Amino acid sequence: MATLLRMPEVAAGATEAVLSEWLVAENTPFTTGEPIALIETDKASVEVAAEMDGVLLRALLPSGTSVEVGSPMALLGADGEQDVDVDQLLADLGVPGASAPPPVAPPQEVPEPARPKPTEPERVFSSPLARRLLKEAGLTPEQVRGTGPNGRIVRRDVETAIAQAKQAAPPEPAEAPRPQAAVPPPQAGYQDVPHSRIRRAIAARLTESKQVIPHFYVTRRARVDALLALRRQLNEISPAKISVNDLVLRAVAVAHQSVPEANVIWTENALRQFESVDIGVAIAAERGLITPVLRGVEKTSPSAIAAQVRDFVRRAGDGTLRQSDLEGGSISVTNLGMFGVEEFSAIINPPQSAILAVGAAVPEPVVADGEVEVATQLSLVLSVDHRAIDGALAARWMAALTQALEEPLRLVA
């Protein structure tokens, strides 16, 4: 039975998104879970996967179109349903602008014999980032072998092709320097760089968050010498290298279990309290900051968290994150410690109710048992939605987090 594929709500409160690319050609069968289209949001490129086996009967919109949420994008049919009257099906489904039946030719006209159509080259699919890198390098998709899903070209394929092209290129003969065309300097000592669509969307989202959500902040320092020692021991046996941030994510889950009242988000009618601990992790990708969500972190080992985060980083770069990867959770973790930033505060990612900003672990003098000694201290700043969590509850949660970091065996118990 034919159905319409509509633009999904790829982010909470979103009204539209860009149809970046069709990943399946018309009259081509697909299987359950196979990506059909690539959608661009303010956070990432998100694949729209098939909910059942079928065939793409007709794409209703070209790539690059901005589409309202809920609007039809394509007509899908059951597998083997290619030989159907697509125009009539669209009319039956109430799609505006469905084509009318073609006019009947006069009986005296004899149609010319059909001429064979030239064979079109097979389309090579690539991620948006890969297409940009190809253009900058002066390469075509046909020159690159794709290793992504269904042979799609991703960033690492382009980087490999560029490196091979440089090795194979003969040395250029020396030429006399040519005079450069005069380029007028930017007026008044600056140059305007136009905003991208994604940068505008991120700016609007963060502005709304600060205007609508009443933020307050709780700051603590955790002594992490024992945590760093545990990390060294775990990395001797772990299949995936565990970072300090991976252990912080696990500690957030322990704190949520200790203070379950903080595992909530604000809705218009009620506080929604979650049973599972799902945590967003901020990733700085080529397209901007995105926050995919780790599921069930309270049941996940540090090595499994490390593997999942690295998979998110890879798929963020390839543009293959899915809509479900970006949804849910009550808290996010963002870490600038690797850049030497010791302390900062972050803006809450709605509809979540908190975000934890993690700074660099640095040696500092501390007083222990009346004696001054040097200890490694980690700065933690929790931004909180005061509608969902009050000050005392946030303080209790931060105490539980600090205890989990300073007694790290809790993270592997």
Side-chain angles (χ1 to χ4, degrees), residues 105-130:
Q108 66 271 19
E109 263 191 61
V110 178
E112 292 183 4
R115 298 180 182 178
K117 295 183 179 179
T119 304
E120 296 183 358
E122 183 179 357
R123 185 177 180 188
V124 180
F125 294 107
S126 58
S127 70
L129 175 60

Side-chain angles (χ1 to χ4, degrees), residues 45-90:
S45 294
V46 179
E47 291 179 344
V48 177
E51 296 182 356
M52 60 185 67
D53 294 352
V55 60
L56 180 63
L57 297 176
R58 179 175 294 175
L60 303 179
L61 299 169
S63 299
T65 305
S66 183
V67 187
E68 290 187 1
V69 170
S71 296
M73 299 191 298
L75 180 68
L76 308 181
D79 194 10
E81 200 176 11
Q82 287 94 330
D83 298 328
V84 293
D85 188 342
V86 175
D87 291 327
Q88 186 60 51
L89 286 173
L90 289 172

Side-chain angles (χ1 to χ4, degrees), residues 362-410:
V362 295
E364 293 179 348
V366 299
V367 177
D369 298 326
E371 298 289 337
V372 177
E373 59 186 45
V374 176
T376 306
Q377 298 277 83
L378 185 68
S379 172
L380 306 165
V381 180
L382 183 69
S383 304
V384 188
D385 181 350
H386 212 323
R387 299 172 303 175
I389 301 173
D390 60 25
L393 179 58
R396 285 173 50 211
W397 187 89
M398 281 290 272
L401 175 69
T402 304
Q403 183 180 31
L405 292 171
E406 294 184 341
E407 300 174 6
L409 290 180
R410 296 172 180 271

Side-chain angles (χ1 to χ4, degrees), residues 124-145 153-155 157-159 161-162:
V124 180
F125 294 107
S126 58
S127 70
L129 175 60
R131 288 199 300 273
R132 178 171 65 81
L133 295 176
L134 284 170
K135 184 177 179 181
E136 293 174 354
L139 299 175
T140 64
E142 290 73 18
Q143 296 174 270
V144 182
R145 185 177 68 87
I153 298 172
V154 296
R155 178 177 62 180
D157 303 325
V158 181
E159 293 172 345
I162 292 173

Side-chain angles (χ1 to χ4, degrees), residues 118-311:
T119 304
E120 296 183 358
E122 183 179 357
R123 185 177 180 188
V124 180
F125 294 107
S126 58
S127 70
L129 175 60
R131 288 199 300 273
R132 178 171 65 81
L133 295 176
L134 284 170
K135 184 177 179 181
E136 293 174 354
L139 299 175
T140 64
E142 290 73 18
Q143 296 174 270
V144 182
R145 185 177 68 87
T147 62
N150 299 317
R152 196 148 62 98
I153 298 172
V154 296
R155 178 177 62 180
R156 61 175 176 270
D157 303 325
V158 181
E159 293 172 345
T160 300
I162 292 173
Q164 292 173 347
K166 287 181 178 178
Q167 292 176 356
E172 296 184 0
E175 293 184 2
R178 298 180 181 179
Q180 297 290 328
V183 178
Q187 201 170 28
Y190 66 87
Q191 185 174 2
D192 288 336
V193 179
H195 297 307
S196 66
R197 184 190 62 82
I198 291 178
R199 176 52 56 190
R200 288 184 183 276
I202 292 174
R205 186 177 182 84
L206 295 180
T207 301
E208 181 184 6
S209 175
K210 286 291 284 186
Q211 290 176 340
V212 174
I213 298 177
H215 286 58
F216 75 95
Y217 307 92
V218 180
T219 302
R220 285 201 64 156
R221 272 177 161 70
R223 182 169 179 168
V224 293
D225 297 279
L227 183 81
L228 297 177
L230 176 64
R231 173 177 175 254
R232 287 191 294 269
Q233 291 178 323
L234 291 175
N235 278 332
E236 292 177 359
I237 59 173
S238 174
K241 186 177 179 181
I242 299 169
S243 69
V244 171
N245 202 58
D246 298 327
L247 295 175
V248 171
L249 289 164
R250 182 72 181 91
V252 169
V254 171
H256 263 28
Q257 286 184 296
S258 299
V259 189
E261 308 96 298
N263 191 13
V264 296
I265 63 171
W266 172 269
T267 71
E268 289 304 317
N269 299 316
L271 278 179
R272 181 170 300 162
Q273 185 165 355
F274 298 101
E275 298 177 358
S276 173
V277 181
D278 300 340
I279 306 171
V281 54
I283 295 173
E286 292 284 342
R287 295 170 51 81
L289 185 67
I290 58 174
T291 314
V293 178
L294 296 162
R295 313 288 176 184
V297 185
E298 78 280 8
K299 303 174 184 176
T300 310
S301 68
S303 60
I305 292 172
Q308 182 63 72
V309 170
R310 278 143 192 76
D311 181 61

